[in-house]
Amino acid sequence: MTLSRRTFITSTAAAALLAQVSARALAQAAQRTGLKDHFADDFRIGAAVGWKILAGDKDLESILFREFNSISPENCLKWESLHTADGGWRWDYADKYVDIGTQHQMYVVGHVLAWHSQTPDSVFKNPDGSYVSAATLKKKMQDHISTVVGRYKGHINAWDAANEAISDDKDNPMRRSHYFNILGEEFIDHAFHVAHEADPGVHLIYNDYGIEGGSKHEACMELIKRLQKRGVPINGIGIQAHINLEEPDVETLDKCIVDFASLGLRVHFTELDIDVLPNVWKLPVAEVSTRFEYKPERDPYIHGLPKDVEDRLADRWESLFKVFIKHHDKIERITTWGISDDGSWLNNFPIRGRTNYPLLFDRKHQPHEAYYKLMALKV
Ligand code: GLA
């Protein structure tokens, strides 16, 4: 039988439609089990959990348990959250966090042991404002780290032992934090050693942002080599990946995974989110002093994301995951910093009160277009 041109067009269109419908149907079927099952052969899929989940938000919980098999704590394991002003400890939220992960057999991440931020100044300074001695700071770190890591031994799988020790200034590659000013780079070694002693089985990570490429990537590679040479028990690199629609490009990302893995480290993407709002960090110099000011033109999507931006965002997620899948043997997990857009820190950073769309679930807790693209990968 020869097909008339009309029959041919119709059957081609029908076949295309059928292919589309079945890709969508497959993606929707996969959604019943979630991202964690879809990528089970590649890496874990994680989410940072905040106060809402710890307070029992059922809606967010249902997304968490369906989609993710790893959790990271947004705040409850940071120094300032664990110590009370009168020198005591508070464990309620931290215990709840670890219980959630244990009960649901998740890969539980501890964040963070040594970080310059969200650690009270009193850790580093005497009442008169002078720095405590090196021995005092080491003792404080020893008490803090051995208590926290010891408490969750066997329940927390991996700890960010040190966070953001590298600076953004390429001429001074190590951040001039209080930790560094008092102990030099050795504060990192100390954090890793104490954590390792408290739980020899726990996986220890160095975590930072902006280390995908450029001078910060080089500085990070050099730091890791120095740590390894000094016998520091480091197992993984945490690439935070607070990124945007353009940067870093996928070639840079690809190379950084290969580079870090070549040092014998497992690669963790620890805080992934994609900022879609106008970038205020790169405004002309004259504007630098006002870069954190709210202006309506810096918050263009308060009524929703236009279709073309939603499409670009979906393409960006897809291209990232193509690189992750290519290097699945080197990657331990892909963790997003939050679950849904309404809870993202990027609504308030670096400008307060904007409407951002950085995660895979929107403000109504529905999947973004990107979610379906990821589910269609490997189908
Ligand atoms: C950094 C920290 C996280 C978190 C995010 C933003 O990346 O590592 O703990 O504070 O900033 O919220």
Side-chain angles (χ1 to χ4, degrees):
M1 187 181 93
T2 48
L3 294 174
S4 73
R5 187 171 152 69
R6 188 178 158 72
T7 322
F8 175 73
I9 289 168
T10 313
S11 60
T12 310
L17 188 66
L18 199 66
Q20 252 182 31
V21 169
S22 50
R24 183 86 176 189
L26 279 169
Q28 279 169 353
Q31 195 194 337
R32 278 180 228 126
T33 49
L35 292 163
K36 67 178 187 331
D37 304 286
H38 189 69
F39 293 105
D41 295 336
D42 301 295
F43 29 68
R44 296 182 182 84
I45 303 287
V49 306
W51 307 120
K52 278 195 176 170
I53 291 258
L54 299 177
D57 184 307
K58 293 290 161 221
D59 196 29
L60 285 176
E61 263 186 7
S62 72
I63 305 177
L64 180 69
F65 300 145
R66 186 184 67 231
E67 306 288 343
F68 300 93
N69 53 10
S70 173
I71 49 174
S72 299
E74 257 188 43
N75 288 299
C76 67
L77 282 170
K78 291 175 179 170
W79 193 306
E80 68 173 14
S81 309
L82 290 172
H83 294 263
T84 58
D86 60 3
W89 292 88
R90 78 167 285 180
W91 297 109
D92 47 355
Y93 283 117
D95 284 355
K96 171 90 183 137
Y97 164 77
V98 176
D99 278 354
I100 291 175
T102 310
Q103 275 166 21
H104 293 269
Q105 286 103 44
M106 296 170 127
Y107 183 86
V108 182
V109 177
H111 172 85
V112 48
L113 298 175
W115 186 29
H116 64 276
S117 183
Q118 293 187 260
T119 304
D121 255 15
S122 58
V123 172
F124 311 103
K125 291 186 173 170
N126 296 307
D128 66 2
S130 61
Y131 272 141
V132 301
S133 68
T136 302
L137 180 56
K138 280 183 92 168
K139 171 80 170 63
K140 288 184 183 195
M141 290 175 72
Q142 167 85 41
D143 290 347
H144 174 79
I145 296 173
S146 60
T147 305
V148 183
V149 175
R151 183 180 182 92
Y152 300 119
K153 181 177 177 180
H155 295 287
I156 285 191
N157 300 84
W159 270 102
D160 291 337
N163 193 29
E164 302 179 351
I166 298 170
S167 104
D168 295 320
D169 171 7
K170 65 175 171 17
D171 298 326
N172 288 300
M174 298 308 292
R175 182 188 294 275
R176 272 25 185 186
S177 65
H178 293 330
Y179 275 118
F180 185 89
N181 292 341
I182 299 170
L183 286 175
E185 189 173 299
E186 199 215 323
F187 87 86
I188 305 174
D189 306 31
H190 190 52
F192 276 84
H193 283 301
V194 176
H196 181 68
E197 276 159 29
D199 183 357
V202 81
H203 184 95
L204 297 176
I205 297 168
Y206 174 74
N207 192 51
D208 212 329
Y209 66 86
I211 54 171
E212 297 89 346
S215 60
K216 221 167 155 179
H217 174 73
E218 297 313 325
C220 189
M221 292 290 287
E222 291 311 312
L223 170 66
I224 305 290
K225 287 182 204 162
R226 290 196 300 277
L227 295 177
Q228 289 177 327
K229 207 167 161 194
R230 296 200 291 265
V232 172
I234 178 169
N235 310 105
I237 182 77
I239 302 165
Q240 291 186 4
H242 295 296
I243 64 177
N244 60 40
L245 286 170
E246 289 91 26
E247 292 175 330
D249 58 40
V250 286
E251 291 76 23
T252 303
L253 208 58
D254 190 311
K255 176 178 175 300
C256 100
I257 296 170
V258 174
D259 284 354
F260 286 126
S262 76
L263 300 180
L265 301 179
R266 296 291 291 160
V267 177
H268 301 244
F269 283 87
T270 54
E271 307 185 14
L272 175 60
D273 45 26
I274 304 177
D275 190 347
V276 301
L277 296 181
N279 189 334
V280 286
W281 297 104
K282 290 188 181 165
L283 291 173
V285 172
E287 288 239 27
V288 159
S289 60
T290 58
R291 71 185 169 193
F292 298 112
E293 215 179 277
Y294 182 92
K295 291 184 178 177
E297 64 270 26
R298 294 178 185 166
D299 189 20
Y301 309 132
I302 49 177
H303 301 301
L305 206 53
K307 176 82 176 95
D308 61 317
V309 187
E310 180 83 32
D311 289 347
R312 280 178 66 206
L313 184 58
D315 289 346
R316 177 72 163 143
W317 279 100
E318 184 184 39
S319 59
L320 294 176
F321 266 72
K322 283 185 175 163
V323 179
F324 299 154
I325 292 166
K326 175 178 168 198
H327 292 299
H328 68 99
D329 56 326
K330 306 171 187 65
I331 297 177
E332 194 65 33
R333 70 188 152 100
I334 309 295
T335 292
T336 57
W337 200 249
I339 295 174
S340 55
D341 293 338
D342 48 323
S344 169
W345 70 302
L346 288 174
N347 296 310
N348 292 306
F349 181 87
I351 295 176
R352 290 199 74 76
R354 295 196 297 176
T355 303
N356 215 331
Y357 300 81
L359 296 166
L360 287 166
F361 295 88
D362 67 17
R363 285 179 166 65
K364 293 185 179 141
H365 297 176
Q366 296 307 306
H368 272 289
E369 186 184 317
Y371 177 95
Y372 296 104
K373 281 218 161 179
L374 299 190
M375 285 299 204
L377 283 174
K378 307 175 7 126
V379 169

